[in-house]
Amino acid sequence: MTSKNEEGGGTLAQQMFGPQAGVYAASKVHISDDSLESVQKLTGASHRQAQGDGPGTANYRWTVDIGTGAGFTAFAMAEISDRVVASDITQPMLRQAKRIGGERGLSNVRLAQNTAESLPFANGSLDLITCRKAAHHFRDFEASLDEIQRALRPGGSLVMADTVAPESSELARWQNDVELRRDYSHVEDRKISVISGMLADRGLDVIGSEDERVYLWFNDWVKRTRVAEDEIRSLRREFQESPQERREAFQIGEPEEDGDFLFSFPVWVFRAVKK
Ligand SMILES: C[S@@+](CC[C@H](N)C(=O)[O-])C[C@H]1O[C@@H](n2cnc3c(N)ncnc32)[C@H](O)[C@@H]1O
């Protein structure tokens, strides 16, 4: 464990995720969804499952999952890696990962508390880095990409799955505004074009990608981050009074009897290889 921070204080992310760790550990969209399947596809894990290969035929020696939360992506990578480090800034999240990893009987997953902006791994030491549903929370995403680039070996891969913003600046601004009002630790959902430029600047070549959506029920979405009642009312009104272009961009559905409704945000999953 490398950070001195404990729950109760620490960064905004720790303050947000610490008390809610149990909720994230039970969240259906975190346990499994299309983005995890795409991570498995882009890392070769789903091919392996289809072939029925057992443990001991790993594709990767050292894998690190950053912003691991309750560990679901790290656990999927344990199937195709000799060793996995599940790392996160928030101690209560790592405790959930430890509990669930133990329940699943995984012996090749270790935990580390560190920030994505400062990875405790040697230059060129890692074969695979994964990161799912986390990068838009990183205080300094570019610093985390610098660290990923540094720690990967040449030919090593970054496989990332995260919420992104539409290319329209107006829609991107609205999405980031509602995200921040719902989660004070939110930093930025970026446009794919922006992320692509950052990867190219660091010699990380995108060799495969999937465009997806994350489908969210509004009530669950605001409950997970304990949004205040008046803000929930204001957000609900804003979603429901959206102009047609925004309704279509975020697939905002009609409200049910209890006021709940479904909407979606775009997600990008990519594999980038270090030159
Ligand atoms: C939604 S959860 C991650 C879900 C998880 N990757 C999965 O696949 O189920 C986001 C995580 O990012 C972590 N996080 C936020 N900022 C971070 C940072 N700067 N460095 C490392 N982890 C961070 C939070 O503590 C939280 O556990």
Side-chain angles (χ1 to χ4, degrees):
M1 303 294 173
T2 57
S3 165
K4 294 192 196 77
N5 290 317
E6 280 295 323
E7 66 262 50
T11 66
L12 288 179
Q14 288 170 312
Q15 289 169 27
M16 169 57 70
F17 286 103
Q20 292 302 88
V23 175
Y24 278 88
S27 157
K28 282 188 190 146
V29 292
H30 291 83
I31 292 169
S32 181
D33 70 350
D34 289 350
S35 74
L36 185 55
E37 281 180 24
S38 290
V39 169
Q40 291 177 297
K41 184 175 158 195
L42 288 168
T43 54
S46 44
H47 174 73
R48 172 73 80 70
Q49 282 167 355
Q51 300 292 308
D53 295 347
T57 49
N59 297 332
Y60 305 97
R61 282 171 308 143
W62 277 103
T63 296
V64 172
D65 184 46
I66 58 178
T68 200
F72 301 114
T73 306
F75 303 150
M77 295 303 101
E79 303 276 321
I80 52 165
S81 309
D82 288 334
R83 293 179 201 82
V84 178
V85 179
S87 78
D88 200 285
I89 194 177
T90 308
Q91 187 58 246
M93 280 292 199
L94 290 170
R95 279 203 284 275
Q96 293 293 336
K98 185 172 183 189
R99 176 181 64 79
I100 298 169
E103 286 166 7
R104 294 188 185 191
L106 297 171
S107 57
N108 60 341
V109 180
R110 294 284 176 274
L111 306 176
Q113 188 181 14
N114 57 261
T115 71
E117 293 87 346
S118 176
L119 299 178
F121 307 105
N123 294 354
S125 60
L126 304 178
D127 303 295
L128 174 65
I129 296 179
T130 53
C131 181
R132 168 176 169 256
K133 294 185 190 286
H136 64 275
H137 296 288
F138 297 165
R139 214 27 47 214
D140 189 342
F141 179 60
E142 291 213 70
S144 72
L145 285 180
D146 287 340
E147 279 294 84
I148 288 165
Q149 202 279 343
R150 180 190 64 72
L152 280 176
R153 66 167 173 77
S157 290
L158 164 66
V159 176
M160 186 174 274
D162 203 18
T163 307
V164 289
E167 292 297 320
S168 148
S169 294
E170 180 48 32
L171 291 171
R173 188 207 57 73
W174 185 81
Q175 179 177 334
N176 278 294
D177 179 62
V178 294
E179 283 264 65
L180 185 61
R181 285 157 61 193
R182 175 259 175 184
D183 170 1
Y184 56 75
S185 76
H186 175 78
V187 176
E188 189 178 0
D189 296 329
R190 296 170 187 83
K191 299 175 187 178
I192 293 176
S193 57
V194 171
I195 300 170
S196 300
M198 291 173 176
L199 296 170
D201 287 347
R202 290 164 177 82
L204 293 164
D205 279 350
V206 177
I207 61 159
S209 66
E210 306 271 331
D211 291 306
E212 286 170 5
R213 314 283 307 182
V214 57
Y215 293 91
L216 299 157
W217 283 100
F218 178 83
N219 287 354
D220 264 2
W221 182 64
V222 288
K223 199 164 126 197
R224 240 188 342 262
T225 51
R226 297 179 301 167
V227 182
E229 276 306 318
D230 54 344
E231 189 67 87
I232 292 177
R233 277 193 293 277
S234 153
L235 282 167
R236 182 181 282 118
R237 198 169 42 244
E238 222 173 281
F239 270 85
Q240 284 302 329
E241 291 175 359
S242 287
Q244 193 56 25
E245 186 196 9
R246 194 195 292 158
R247 279 204 100 89
E248 284 172 13
F250 300 114
Q251 303 180 314
I252 301 169
E254 295 299 328
E256 313 228 316
E257 269 173 26
D258 59 357
D260 204 5
F261 59 90
L262 197 60
F263 67 98
S264 75
F265 284 147
V267 168
W268 193 42
V269 191
F270 64 84
R271 177 173 184 165
V273 173
K274 177 173 165 176
K275 284 181 187 156

